[in-house]
Amino acid sequence: MCFCVFVGCVFTTTIAQNCQFSFNGKISDFHDNSPIIGASIQIEGENKFATTDFDGFFEFQNICAGKYTLILNHVACETKRVRFNITENTFKEISLEHHIEDLEEVIVTSTNKTTSNTVQSTKIDRKTIDDFSGESLGDALKNISGVSSLNTGNTIVKPIINGLHSSRIIVMANGVRLQDQDWGIEHAPNIDINNADRITVIKGTNSLEYGGDAIGGVIVLEPTKYFLKDRIYGKTILGLQSNGKGGNLHTNIVKTTEKGWFYNGKATLKRFGDFHSPNYNLTNTGLNSKAFSLLTGVKKFEKGFTVDYSFINNKIGIFRASHIGNIDDLVTAINSKQPQIIENFNYDIVSPKQEIKHHIFKVDYYQRFKNSGKLEVQYDFQKNERFEFDVRVGDDKNKAAIDLNLKTHAVSANFNFDSNSNKTYKVGFKGVYQNNFANPETGVRRLIPDYDKFDAGFFAIGNFILNLKTTFNAGLRYDFNYINAKKFYIKTRWIERGYDTQFNDLIIGDFNTQWLVNPTFRFHNLSASAGIHHYFNDKTAVLFNYGLSSRAPNASELFSDGLHHSAARIELGNLAMQQEVSHRVSATYAYKTSKTKISIEAFFNTIQNFIYLAPFGTEQTIRGAFPVWNYKKTNANLFGFDFTWQQKLNETFSYSNKSSLIYGYETKNKRDLIDIPAPNFRNSLQYKNENWHQLGVRLESEFVLQQNNFPDNNFLTFLPSQKTIAIVDISSTPKSYHLLNLQTDVVFHLSKKTDLHISATISNLLNINYRDYLNRIRFFADDLGRNYALQLKINY
């Protein structure tokens, strides 16, 4: 008994001795080390709490020896758990992130901030993206004033920003710059719009971290946000359309955890048969598309990583009547009021057609450093396989006429110095190696040769808050481009182009009627940007931008030499091409109240060595006579206005207007530029009733004027069948047209976590016959007729 009492006394004394420790600490901001006031601290599993004072200090008394977990909370900060082993009186400094914009949320992206408020930019939200789930990126972007599209039918849609397209526009998908064969007018971005949660369009050159060659602008597809919670959720979209008698299916499943892990799987299917105009079937215009992506990683505030893989496979029919066999067919097609080939509806996709497979693999890692900023490193790999099929007979009818394999490796790193929120700086580097292989087994002359390409770019950007109303941004970038190609030239073509006097030193082999040449090019490109944004008051603001941008010519502009089969024309590049240099100035006026939003944007862009593709004449081949299009260079000016107005009329009705006007001309030849969008105006009236299943009804009017400013590229040609000289009119533009579109949608709450969205749309409500200047099939057929579309979307 005495022994037990003795042991109990000793144990009690030991406990008392070990519970006299103090645990003090200071909580400060991770970025600038400023104290965080009013943060709450709890010892997990015990009824012990503390709060930081005005200097960020907290204190616990009478702490026993042992291991403890502190739970730290503060408004606008991410909840943090920290473990300590207490063996003596202890003082610890702890950092919290005090600049998180979304509570308990991690944004999975390879850049800290898509844009600053000193650039001309517009966002497309998740709902609009879902509305265009069955369509293309270019279709969705046309909802932004100043953005139009260059079409080959309705399934191949290339975005145009303020009159510029193709290599002058950068497409960023989840932090990866899209690298595909985008040089042809019938080459659309190979990307599934469903992979984006938001889309930002940046007009002009004022986003140097993405590249210095974005003379037209940048399209940024931003990924989904993931919450730090144990959740599993998703959505499924089913769309059906009458025009094309097909539809699309998209599904997305997300799993997140409190520890920061996330998993995301997406899949999309699209299948359409022949589309139709108001009066006839558009033969061989179907689409068969499959896409999926897998994403996983860990995202914490201090560090994290992402592994991402996506794949898309598109099979696209090229309108059969647009594929001419010779110049006689072209003249006949242009002069005819309807296509020369009209067949019954079919889901089959036959030649002429395209098949494209595009793979993207990305891994990135980031880490934050206290009192300095955030480091990001990334590696990505892309493989683009492009097959273009000509109309052939015999054993070669299933063999591609163009077979290109483009592989791209890219490594990038950047550091964002953001410890001082009033002055932030970002510096970065990117290196790219690209290899293009043109399969020689196609049986036809290769349009694009084999080449290796190396790019290296360095940039520095600063963002400055001058005062409560004014912010300023400035950036500088240098890019080096190196191209090493090997190409066969027919000797007569070599002499015809004048290369025998300029580039004879490039010849490395003599093969009877052809030279094997090894052209190499080195381009040094400098880009710069500056922007200032000023608020006059809480309603009115102005923005001014200047951008200097340089773009090296792409492989098509340098090396094209032969028949582009899916375009049915001969295309000729020019080895003497130099880089384009753009000077762009722009201004924006913005007015915003609770009922009214107005934005007026103006820009002027002068481009030296502007490269464009223009018709030149005809040339006889073994398949007949074809139009010849030359890549040329000139000095060009572009200027225009974009106008956006959103007006809330009352609690249920609202009105919007989006209008654009652009003009482009050659300063050397004093004539208009080709392929400049016509003036266009979109007006819509919307009804919204939140109390009746969020009913929405929108009537849209789309009015496009005839483009009266265009170059005269008509030419004379000899028609063998008629033994006459004829004018080939490929310059005249279609008449103005006006379309009406109607959309309605409702939402049903099936359960606490499940919603059903139903929308119905009628496009070209009045079934109008029209042709669009920027649609290549306008030479051969009318555009699409009326289309009924139904979409079901379930969020769960």
Side-chain angles (χ1 to χ4, degrees):
M1 180 68 179
C2 293
F3 177 77
C4 292
V5 172
F6 173 78
V7 171
C9 292
V10 171
F11 181 77
T12 303
T13 302
T14 302
I15 294 297
Q17 289 176 345
N18 288 342
C19 292
Q20 299 301 314
F21 297 134
S22 65
F23 182 21
N24 299 339
K26 179 182 179 182
I27 300 180
S28 57
D29 183 84
F30 188 91
H31 292 272
D32 55 17
N33 209 34
S34 61
I36 292 183
I37 303 168
S40 64
I41 306 99
Q42 178 189 2
I43 297 179
E44 189 173 49
E46 297 189 18
N47 190 27
K48 290 183 180 291
F49 298 88
T51 304
T52 56
D53 60 20
F54 284 98
D55 295 315
F57 289 100
F58 68 90
E59 180 180 24
F60 288 104
Q61 293 291 341
N62 301 322
I63 301 298
C64 301
K67 295 181 180 180
Y68 296 93
T69 298
L70 295 189
I71 303 175
L72 296 88
N73 287 284
H74 190 264
V75 176
C77 291
E78 178 186 353
T79 300
K80 189 171 185 176
R81 285 176 165 81
V82 186
R83 302 190 69 181
F84 295 105
N85 186 14
I86 304 299
T87 59
E88 58 184 353
N89 292 332
T90 302
F91 176 84
K92 293 291 184 179
E93 290 191 12
I94 306 172
S95 296
L96 282 182
E97 161 58 16
H98 198 243
H99 301 290
I100 291 181
E101 297 176 357
D102 301 289
L103 188 62
E104 290 191 322
E105 185 175 65
V106 178
I107 300 175
V108 182
T109 178
S110 294
T111 55
N112 290 327
K113 197 173 183 181
T114 303
T115 63
S116 72
N117 62 357
T118 58
V119 299
Q120 286 184 330
S121 65
T122 306
K123 289 183 179 292
I124 294 178
D125 59 18
R126 175 75 260 177
K127 181 184 183 306
T128 303
I129 295 172
D130 287 345
D131 288 344
F132 286 88
S133 176
E135 300 182 65
S136 70
L137 173 65
D139 291 317
L141 295 180
K142 287 190 290 186
N143 283 274
I144 297 175
S145 60
V147 181
S148 48
S149 65
L150 190 65
N151 289 35
T152 301
N154 68 301
T155 53
I156 302 177
V157 186
K158 292 176 70 74
I160 300 177
I161 302 177
N162 288 152
L164 301 174
H165 57 83
S166 300
S167 297
R168 300 181 185 95
I169 293 177
I170 292 175
V171 178
M172 298 293 301
N174 195 8
V176 177
R177 175 170 176 169
L178 189 65
Q179 300 279 0
D180 57 2
Q181 305 275 3
D182 66 346
W183 38 266
I185 62 170
E186 77 289 5
H187 298 185
N190 295 295
I191 199 161
D192 180 17
I193 190 175
N194 294 286
N195 274 346
D197 190 67
R198 295 172 309 283
I199 301 175
T200 302
V201 174
I202 305 169
K203 298 176 182 178
T205 60
N206 296 83
S207 193
L208 297 181
E209 63 183 285
Y210 301 117
D213 53 346
I215 294 177
V218 182
I219 300 168
V220 183
L221 286 81
E222 303 175 57
T224 304
K225 295 181 178 182
Y226 300 98
F227 292 84
L228 296 178
K229 295 180 179 179
D230 285 323
R231 295 181 61 195
I232 181 167
Y233 58 95
K235 69 178 177 182
T236 298
I237 299 175
L238 173 64
L240 300 172
Q241 295 186 24
S242 65
N243 200 334
K245 298 180 181 178
N248 63 283
L249 176 66
H250 169 73
T251 190
N252 176 23
I253 302 293
V254 178
K255 167 63 179 171
T256 60
T257 70
E258 287 187 352
K259 295 183 179 180
W261 280 93
F262 58 89
Y263 313 88
N264 191 342
K266 299 181 180 181
T268 303
L269 299 175
K270 299 177 186 178
R271 180 69 188 274
F272 298 95
D274 293 340
F275 292 86
H276 61 80
S277 73
N279 297 324
Y280 43 77
N281 189 53
L282 300 172
T283 302
N284 197 49
T285 54
L287 169 69
N288 189 345
S289 177
K290 304 179 182 69
F292 72 87
S293 66
L294 299 172
L295 176 70
T296 187
V298 173
K299 292 291 174 179
K300 294 284 190 175
F301 171 68
E302 288 86 358
K303 59 184 177 180
F305 72 90
T306 303
V307 180
D308 185 10
Y309 171 74
S310 64
F311 171 75
I312 187 168
N313 181 7
N314 288 329
K315 295 183 180 180
I316 306 169
I318 304 295
F319 181 46
R320 181 64 184 87
S322 72
H323 196 79
I324 57 174
N326 51 55
I327 200 65
D328 281 325
D329 294 344
L330 177 61
V331 174
T332 302
I334 291 175
N335 293 331
S336 177
K337 293 184 179 181
Q338 67 178 32
Q340 298 300 295
I341 300 175
I342 300 177
E343 297 177 357
N344 293 329
F345 174 86
N346 205 314
Y347 284 103
D348 293 338
I349 298 175
V350 298
S351 298
K353 64 179 180 179
Q354 298 178 0
E355 293 186 11
I356 305 101
K357 298 178 182 178
H358 194 86
H359 307 256
I360 300 178
F361 171 78
K362 182 197 79 168
V363 57
D364 66 30
Y365 173 82
Y366 72 85
Q367 183 168 346
R368 297 182 189 268
F369 296 89
K370 187 176 180 181
N371 301 330
S372 64
K374 180 180 179 181
L375 171 69
E376 296 174 305
V377 294
Q378 177 176 303
Y379 164 78
D380 58 80
F381 168 75
Q382 296 180 69
K383 182 179 180 182
N384 182 267
E385 300 173 274
R386 167 170 285 274
F387 305 92
E388 296 187 7
F389 294 84
D390 191 11
V391 178
R392 300 190 187 189
V393 295
D395 296 336
D396 290 337
K397 64 181 180 180
N398 294 319
K399 182 184 292 186
I402 291 180
D403 181 350
L404 300 175
N405 191 316
L406 184 70
K407 296 179 181 178
T408 307
H409 301 264
V411 178
S412 61
N414 63 72
F415 197 95
N416 190 15
F417 297 90
D418 61 357
S419 59
N420 183 348
S421 59
N422 290 326
K423 297 179 182 180
T424 63
Y425 304 90
K426 191 170 188 178
V427 296
F429 160 81
K430 185 172 185 177
V432 179
Y433 166 67
Q434 190 173 82
N435 171 262
N436 184 70
F437 173 72
N439 189 350
E441 303 300 323
T442 60
V444 298
R445 183 172 179 77
R446 290 183 289 180
L447 178 65
I448 302 295
D450 298 343
Y451 65 83
D452 291 306
K453 187 171 181 284
F454 300 87
D455 299 324
F458 305 85
F459 73 88
I461 301 172
N463 291 280
F464 311 95
I465 300 177
L466 304 183
N467 53 53
L468 292 177
K469 293 185 176 181
T470 308
T471 56
F472 175 74
N473 168 283
L476 187 67
R477 183 180 179 106
Y478 166 77
D479 287 283
F480 171 74
N481 309 115
Y482 172 77
I483 302 177
N484 185 340
K486 289 187 177 180
K487 178 174 175 56
F488 285 95
Y489 275 93
I490 298 174
K491 292 181 179 179
T492 53
R493 177 82 75 193
W494 183 262
I495 296 172
E496 170 197 302
R497 307 292 289 174
Y499 294 161
D500 55 326
T501 58
Q502 289 181 281
F503 302 110
N504 252 12
D505 58 326
L506 302 181
I507 298 174
I508 59 174
D510 186 344
F511 293 82
N512 297 322
T513 61
Q514 298 186 94
W515 297 115
L516 176 61
V517 301
N518 181 206
T520 60
F521 297 93
R522 294 173 176 83
F523 298 100
H524 301 272
N525 304 303
L526 186 66
S527 305
S529 67
I532 188 167
H533 185 274
H534 177 74
Y535 288 97
F536 290 106
N537 49 51
D538 59 353
K539 298 179 181 179
T540 308
V542 293
L543 165 67
F544 297 97
N545 279 127
Y546 164 74
L548 163 67
S549 184
S550 300
R551 182 186 74 90
N554 62 37
S556 175
E557 294 161 341
L558 291 168
F559 307 124
S560 287
D561 178 28
L563 185 61
H564 192 171
H565 292 266
S566 65
R569 67 189 186 191
I570 295 170
E571 297 178 3
L572 300 177
N574 191 338
L575 294 178
M577 286 296 183
Q578 298 172 303
Q579 62 256 60
E580 293 179 337
V581 179
S582 163
H583 297 269
R584 186 182 191 271
V585 292
S586 62
T588 301
Y589 169 82
Y591 176 80
K592 181 179 179 181
T593 68
S594 59
K595 292 186 176 182
T596 305
K597 294 181 182 179
I598 295 176
S599 174
I600 303 174
E601 299 177 346
F603 75 93
F604 176 78
N605 195 354
T606 180
I607 306 174
Q608 299 173 355
N609 299 317
F610 179 77
I611 302 172
Y612 66 104
L613 188 60
F616 176 72
T618 60
E619 185 172 301
Q620 189 72 31
T621 72
I622 59 173
R623 288 194 51 223
F626 285 89
V628 178
W629 290 62
N630 272 339
Y631 280 102
K632 298 181 178 181
K633 65 178 180 178
T634 187
N635 293 336
N637 288 343
L638 297 95
F639 63 88
F641 301 90
D642 300 327
F643 177 75
T644 303
W645 177 22
Q646 296 175 311
Q647 183 68 48
K648 187 175 181 180
L649 303 177
N650 53 40
E651 294 302 318
T652 56
F653 285 95
S654 60
Y655 164 81
S656 72
N657 172 275
K658 299 175 183 179
S659 303
S660 296
L661 174 66
I662 182 173
Y663 181 59
Y665 66 96
E666 296 183 46
T667 58
K668 279 186 176 181
N669 300 320
K670 305 297 182 183
R671 68 174 195 164
D672 300 312
L673 286 178
I674 194 172
D675 291 337
I676 296 298
N680 58 88
F681 311 89
R682 286 176 178 260
N683 295 278
S684 67
L685 182 64
Q686 180 169 320
Y687 170 81
K688 189 73 174 179
N689 188 338
E690 296 287 348
N691 298 323
W692 202 89
H693 300 289
Q694 301 179 38
L695 171 67
V697 180
R698 182 167 63 94
L699 178 64
E700 180 187 66
S701 162
E702 181 181 356
F703 184 41
V704 179
L705 297 179
Q706 183 173 0
Q707 178 58 276
N708 294 318
N709 301 309
F710 58 90
D712 183 2
N713 289 316
N714 296 338
F715 55 88
L716 297 173
T717 187
F718 176 72
L719 301 181
S721 63
Q722 302 177 26
K723 297 182 180 180
T724 59
I725 301 294
I727 296 178
V728 182
D729 183 5
I730 59 174
S731 300
S732 298
T733 58
K735 296 179 181 180
S736 304
Y737 62 88
H738 180 223
L739 304 179
L740 291 178
N741 307 307
L742 179 66
Q743 181 184 40
T744 181
D745 55 81
V746 292
V747 178
F748 296 96
H749 300 292
L750 304 183
S751 68
K752 185 177 180 180
K753 296 183 179 181
T754 305
D755 295 332
L756 172 62
H757 297 242
I758 304 176
S759 67
T761 304
I762 307 176
S763 303
N764 192 358
L765 181 65
L766 302 180
N767 208 27
I768 298 297
N769 288 287
Y770 73 99
R771 301 192 182 196
D772 189 276
Y773 172 55
L774 295 180
N775 193 334
R776 192 173 72 86
I777 73 165
R778 70 178 176 88
F779 295 115
F780 315 102
D782 292 336
D783 222 303
L784 294 188
R786 184 187 295 118
N787 179 41
Y788 299 94
L790 175 67
Q791 185 186 88
L792 306 178
K793 179 175 71 172
I794 302 178
N795 293 322
Y796 45 85

